[in-house]
Every structure is written in structure tokens, then in C-alpha cells.
């Protein structure tokens, strides 16, 4: 077991886990782990290609494996893929090795953020939502994942907030939690 706990950021795509997490890591001087990036680096494939070539189950197994590795290290800011909390074992791993912070926003805001992000990237890395991330699909995913996401220690609303504001909220939540 790691000496220092991790801060795990969970939530749907578009809630700000990666960019806000990077800012938290810079501010605290901790390493930052973006799980989807690690998976793409290790597999040598994009996430949509992993889904297409190997299936969702294979992808979820890779997520669980990387989460276990990160959990053992400790002292990291971890941007999880949106589906990581679906597996109960992943929720147990995160809750036993760190502070789990859920980031939220309305489906309309997520839709807007995701469509802008897909255009900026020139591709989507969200195989379950697609490039256009329809609001109805986002709402359905929110409902389907509610139980998994509700396992978080803290929920922070990112609606109408900059990445800097969200990062400050995460750090404040971590500092308040550290004292308890």
C-alpha cells in the first residue's frame, strides 16, 4: 500500500477531469496520470481502435490493470476514464487508496464542451458517445452510471467554472479531507 493517497477524478467526459487535474498536479507538485493516455501509449492504439479491434470488455480490463498499478504508487492526481467507476472492484480500489472526487455538469454543458473539444482535437476519443456527443446519449449515460459515480467521497459541480476554478475546488476539497 502506498504511503500517500491519490486524488482520483471521476465523471463523464467533458467534466474537466484532465485539464483541471493537470492544474491540481502542477499546484501540488504531484505527478499527473491521465488513464486514457496511458492506455493508448501502452497499447499503441487509440481508444476507438481498441473498442473496434478488441471490444469494450478488453478496454475495461486494461483500465482496471492500470488503476491497480497507479493505486499502488500513491501521491498522484489521476484523471480516470469516464467508465472506470462502473466496475465495483475499481470503486473499491479508488476508495481504499485515495480521495475520489466526482466532477459534474449538465448534459447541455457536457455536449457543448465535448463538441468543441472534438473539433479542436480533430478526433473523438469517446467511443460510447461519438463525435457529436448527443445530449440524449449523455443523459442516458449519466443515469446509467449514477450508482457508480455516487461512490465518490465528494462531488463538485463544474458548471460555468474555469479549469482554474475547478482545480482550486479540488485542492480545497483535498485539504479539508486531509484534516478529517
Amino acid at each position: 500500500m502506498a504511503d500517500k493517497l491519490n486524488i482520483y477524478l471521476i465523471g463523464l467526459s467533458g467534466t474537466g477531469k484532465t485539464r483541471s487535474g493537470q492544474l491540481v498536479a502542477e499546484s501540488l507538485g504531484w505527478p499527473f496520470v491521465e488513464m486514457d493516455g496511458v492506455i493508448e501509449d501502452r497499447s499503441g492504439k487509440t481508444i476507438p481502435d481498441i473498442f473496434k479491434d478488441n471490444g469494450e470488455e478488453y478496454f475495461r480490463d486494461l483500465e482496471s490493470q492500470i488503476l491497480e498499478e497507479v493505486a499502488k504508487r500513491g501521491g498522484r492526481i489521476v484523471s480516470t476514464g469516464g467508465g472506470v467507476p462502473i466496475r465495483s472492484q475499481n470503486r473499491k480500489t479508488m476508495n481504499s487508496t485515495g480521495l475520489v472526487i466526482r466532477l459534474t455538469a449538465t448534459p447541455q454543458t457536457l455536449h457543448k464542451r465535448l463538441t468543441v473539444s472534438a473539433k479542436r482535437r480533430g478526433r473523438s476519443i469517446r467511443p460510447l458517445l461519438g463525435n457529436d456527443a448527443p445530449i440524449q446519449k449523455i443523459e442516458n449515460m449519466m443515469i446509467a452510471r449514477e450508482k457508480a459515480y455516487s461512490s465518490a467521497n465528494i462531488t463538485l459541480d463544474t458548471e460555468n467554472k474555469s479549469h482554474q476554478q475547478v482545480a482550486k475546488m479540488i485542492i480545497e476539497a483535498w485539504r479539508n479531507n486531509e484534516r478529517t
Side-chain angles (χ1 to χ4, degrees):
M1 175 71 180
D3 292 342
K4 205 168 172 190
L5 296 177
N6 290 312
I7 296 174
Y8 296 101
L9 303 177
I10 69 169
L12 286 180
S13 292
T15 54
K17 300 182 304 274
T18 298
R19 189 67 197 113
S20 300
Q22 289 168 329
L23 294 171
V24 171
E26 286 168 22
S27 181
L28 296 178
W30 291 20
F32 176 73
V33 177
E34 200 264 330
M35 286 182 58
D36 286 347
V38 173
I39 289 169
E40 288 189 335
D41 289 348
R42 288 236 184 123
S43 66
K45 291 182 181 183
T46 66
I47 289 169
D49 284 345
I50 296 170
F51 268 73
K52 192 172 69 178
D53 299 345
N54 309 96
E56 184 175 356
E57 192 67 18
Y58 175 83
F59 174 75
R60 299 293 172 211
D61 289 342
L62 287 177
E63 279 184 326
S64 296
Q65 179 188 336
I66 286 163
L67 181 65
E68 288 294 330
E69 289 174 25
V70 172
K72 287 182 183 125
R73 292 195 185 105
R76 283 163 171 61
I77 308 301
V78 185
S79 170
T80 67
V84 168
I86 292 170
R87 288 189 171 174
S88 63
Q89 184 54 52
N90 290 348
R91 293 193 301 272
K92 285 179 191 152
T93 298
M94 290 187 292
N95 282 309
S96 65
T97 61
L99 179 65
V100 182
I101 299 177
R102 172 189 186 177
L103 302 183
T104 63
T106 65
Q108 293 75 12
T109 295
L110 296 179
H111 169 76
K112 194 169 148 194
R113 290 176 182 171
L114 291 171
T115 50
V116 166
S117 149
K119 283 186 187 113
R120 201 176 53 236
R121 281 195 170 109
R123 69 183 178 104
S124 170
I125 63 160
R126 299 165 187 91
L128 298 179
L129 284 174
N131 286 329
D132 51 352
I135 291 174
Q136 190 59 55
K137 258 189 176 174
I138 293 169
E139 285 175 357
N140 293 346
M141 195 174 275
M142 278 181 157
I143 292 164
R145 294 182 176 177
E146 179 54 36
K147 182 177 181 270
Y149 288 162
S150 69
S151 67
N153 305 106
I154 294 164
T155 297
L156 300 175
D157 185 2
T158 68
E159 194 73 23
N160 301 315
K161 294 187 175 69
S162 69
H163 291 298
Q164 288 79 4
Q165 289 170 312
V166 174
K168 281 183 182 147
M169 290 165 40
I170 292 167
I171 292 167
E172 192 175 303
W174 171 72
R175 289 195 169 129
N176 290 338
N177 199 70
E178 211 183 23
R179 292 186 198 108
T180 55

